[in-house]
């Protein structure tokens, strides 16, 4: 099986002085994930689009996600 890349968006909302994560959404392409993050960030504290590559058959997974876009306030692990 070939290596596949999955694209995701994670949004965050402010609760007091903390950021809370919303459920992650999966997208078909990098461009779709970027557009979704931009659109969703308009009503959230922040959003991040990222991708993860894997070859599930070989058990070879990225150690860290590749951050594609950060908008607004997000946790440190997503900041570049």
């Amino acid at each position: 099986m070939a290596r596949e890349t999955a694209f995701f968006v994670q949004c965050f909302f402010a609760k007091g002085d903390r950021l809370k994560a919303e459920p992650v959404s999966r997208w078909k392409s990098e461009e779709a994930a970027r557009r979704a993050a931009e659109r969703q960030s308009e009503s959230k504290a922040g959003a991040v689009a990222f991708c993860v590559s894997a070859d599930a058959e070989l058990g070879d997974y990225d150690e860290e996600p590749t951050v594609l876009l950060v908008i607004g306030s997000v946790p440190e692990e997503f900041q570049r």
Side-chain angles (χ1 to χ4, degrees):
M1 183 170 200
R3 192 165 190 82
E4 295 183 18
T5 302
F7 302 94
F8 302 96
V9 172
Q10 175 78 67
C11 293
F12 299 89
F13 65 94
K15 186 168 185 178
D17 60 348
R18 298 182 58 168
L19 291 174
K20 295 288 187 174
E22 293 192 350
V24 175
S25 57
R26 187 171 179 169
W27 299 87
K28 293 185 179 200
S29 69
E30 178 178 342
E31 185 59 32
R34 286 176 179 270
R35 283 193 315 260
E38 289 171 348
R39 188 174 52 252
Q40 292 178 35
S41 71
E42 293 174 4
S43 63
K44 311 292 181 197
V48 60
F50 63 96
C51 65
V52 178
S53 295
D55 185 330
E57 189 173 290
L58 296 176
D60 182 24
Y61 298 90
D62 288 349
E63 289 186 29
E64 297 288 328
T66 300
V67 176
L68 305 170
L69 178 68
V70 174
I71 302 172
S73 298
V74 299
E76 285 183 29
E77 63 262 24
F78 287 112
Q79 296 176 5
R80 299 179 193 180

